[in-house]
Amino acid sequence: MANQQDKTPGTQPGSTRIVAGQSARPKRPVGLKIGIAAAVLALIGGGAAVASAVSSGAPAAAPEAAPSGSPAAELKLGYFGNVTHAPALVGVSKGFIADELGSTKLTTQVFNAGPAAIEALNAGAIDATYIGPNPAINSYVKSQGQSINIIAGAAAGGAQLVVRPDINSAADLKGRTLASPQLGGTQDVALRAWLSSQGYKTTVDGGGDVAINPTENAQTLKLFQDGKLDGAWLPEPWASRLALDAGAKVLVDEKDLWDGSLSGKPGEFPTTILIVNQKFAAEHPDTVKALLRGHVKSVEWLNSASAGDKAGVINAALKEAAGAELKADVIDRSLKNIVFTVDPLAGTYQKLLADGVTAGTTKQADINGIFDLRALNSVSTAKTSAAGLGKE
């Protein structure tokens, strides 16, 4: 994975920011299927994504290191340049996380989508990351519970299927070409599972009744504008950018698919969570707790700041992380679609796992133990439930 050192002024003192996987071209042009099969083999068969957790095909031993109580010299943190990752954008740009880390150096790395971040985390390139739930589930499943733990929620909502104006219903999608951010990512899984519920078959190599071409978000916008895509299931701000800048319309707002029966919160579904490498957490529990204190401060700030302040801080952080600010109408629409919360909505994860199985990007497995919310509950005023899937 190609990395380039960011030289944008304004990086938080004491921290280093790296941008991962940026490219002027889509990783997978529309219609190009070469290499996709290999990607899904990595997703459901392990490969580099669980390199640190599995060796020679045998399950790795669970981390047994006793908590040292000493902070790590460095915390390498991943996140995306999306509005759904605003707790990371705010936490880094306003210094909430670096301040809580104290003497621990904060290094950040920006990704386009979840599977790439998981690969980096399990290879040791990062220690923790903001990410969507499905790549986290897939990593946990393939490592037999040895790779990561979910330690907090960050954002709920903020994902939509936006399409060309002539598409009025699911019936109009047969033979069409849609995009998602990356094969096996949370929006990719949501799209494939929803299409299955509508009676369509899809394949991970872009075949089936509806072709799905996983594409970097910025390229999705351009390809849609050029008439080479019929729609995409995207997180914010990209759903809003296609709607406001390219004339797309919303066919499915994902919040309408979640009635609250699994989480007690109608319309909310996990879009962004915070995970940590289990070995790092076992060796540096105080650093993980410091990260969570900064994360909680970020979420509290997002839920108390004025709309103008939020837009200003997020836009400045997006310019540094992704290279460009958003127009006022785009960031306003994006923020209206998102709930910022430290609750990962643990009750939804069995369905998310089932959706991944339907999508063909993971296997049915026991995900009990995927959550470790003890540190979160020690630094937050409200107790967050693991819904029987881990420690709290």
Side-chain angles (χ1 to χ4, degrees):
M1 177 170 50
N3 298 339
Q4 69 181 108
Q5 185 72 34
D6 178 73
K7 301 185 184 301
T8 307
T11 302
Q12 183 69 23
S15 68
T16 303
R17 194 173 72 82
I18 300 170
V19 179
Q22 287 190 343
S23 172
R25 299 172 295 162
K27 291 181 178 177
R28 187 177 298 105
V30 173
L32 182 62
K33 299 179 182 179
I34 298 173
I36 305 180
V40 77
L41 286 174
L43 278 166
I44 65 174
V50 292
S52 69
V54 180
S55 175
S56 303
E64 297 289 346
S68 67
S70 61
E74 179 182 21
L75 172 69
K76 295 169 287 188
L77 179 67
Y79 61 95
F80 309 168
N82 292 342
V83 179
T84 51
H85 284 235
L89 296 168
V90 168
V92 171
S93 66
K94 289 187 72 66
F96 292 145
I97 296 173
D99 288 348
E100 291 295 338
L101 288 172
S103 62
T104 298
K105 178 183 178 181
L106 175 64
T107 301
T108 62
Q109 191 164 332
V110 182
F111 296 89
N112 175 69
I118 284 289
E119 182 177 351
L121 186 142
N122 286 326
I126 55 175
D127 305 308
T129 189
Y130 289 82
I131 198 169
N134 282 98
I137 291 170
N138 192 59
S139 177
Y140 190 82
V141 167
K142 295 318 303 175
S143 69
Q144 300 180 39
Q146 307 302 313
S147 59
I148 61 94
N149 278 127
I150 299 169
I151 58 173
Q160 298 174 331
L161 172 58
V162 291
V163 297
R164 298 203 168 280
D166 64 311
I167 297 174
N168 296 306
S169 69
D172 296 331
L173 292 175
K174 187 175 178 63
R176 302 278 190 157
T177 300
L178 306 176
S180 66
Q182 190 173 6
L183 179 64
T186 299
Q187 286 76 49
D188 181 74
V189 169
L191 172 57
R192 293 174 191 275
W194 180 79
L195 286 171
S196 177
S197 76
Q198 302 302 306
Y200 289 120
K201 294 184 182 300
T202 62
T203 67
V204 294
D205 63 356
D209 302 321
V210 181
I212 300 176
N213 284 283
T215 308
E216 291 181 4
N217 293 324
Q219 289 300 313
T220 292
L221 173 60
K222 185 177 188 307
L223 290 167
F224 186 85
Q225 290 171 324
D226 291 344
K228 296 177 181 178
L229 284 173
D230 297 301
W233 198 296
L234 298 170
E236 294 294 2
W238 297 100
S240 289
R241 289 205 63 184
L242 263 69
L244 297 174
D245 297 344
K249 72 177 184 181
V250 177
L251 184 64
V252 180
D253 191 330
E254 192 173 347
K255 70 180 181 182
D256 296 333
L257 305 180
W258 297 88
D259 62 7
S261 60
L262 300 176
S263 67
K265 298 178 179 180
E268 292 189 23
F269 57 96
T271 303
T272 308
I273 57 176
L274 180 57
I275 67 173
V276 66
N277 178 283
Q278 286 185 14
K279 184 175 184 295
F280 182 88
E283 293 175 349
H284 304 291
D286 290 347
T287 301
V288 172
K289 192 173 290 188
L291 168 63
L292 283 166
R293 286 196 298 269
H295 171 63
V296 169
K297 284 185 178 180
S298 298
V299 172
E300 290 175 344
W301 185 89
L302 283 161
N303 288 327
S304 62
S306 68
D309 285 346
K310 277 191 287 191
V313 171
I314 293 171
N315 242 343
L318 283 172
K319 184 174 182 180
E320 185 175 338
E325 294 185 346
L326 297 172
K327 295 192 302 184
D329 58 346
V330 171
I331 197 164
D332 180 62
R333 182 185 185 278
S334 298
L335 288 170
K336 287 178 179 177
N337 289 329
I338 303 169
V339 174
F340 298 110
T341 175
V342 298
D343 185 354
L345 304 173
T348 65
Y349 279 71
Q350 295 289 9
K351 181 181 186 306
L352 291 167
L353 171 63
D355 287 348
V357 173
T358 297
T361 58
T362 194
K363 295 179 180 179
Q364 186 60 48
D366 182 2
I367 58 171
N368 183 38
I370 194 170
F371 291 96
D372 189 343
L373 304 179
R374 292 173 297 175
L376 174 66
N377 285 328
S378 74
V379 302
S380 179
T381 55
K383 183 176 180 181
T384 300
S385 172
L389 294 176
K391 299 170 182 176
E392 58 184 54

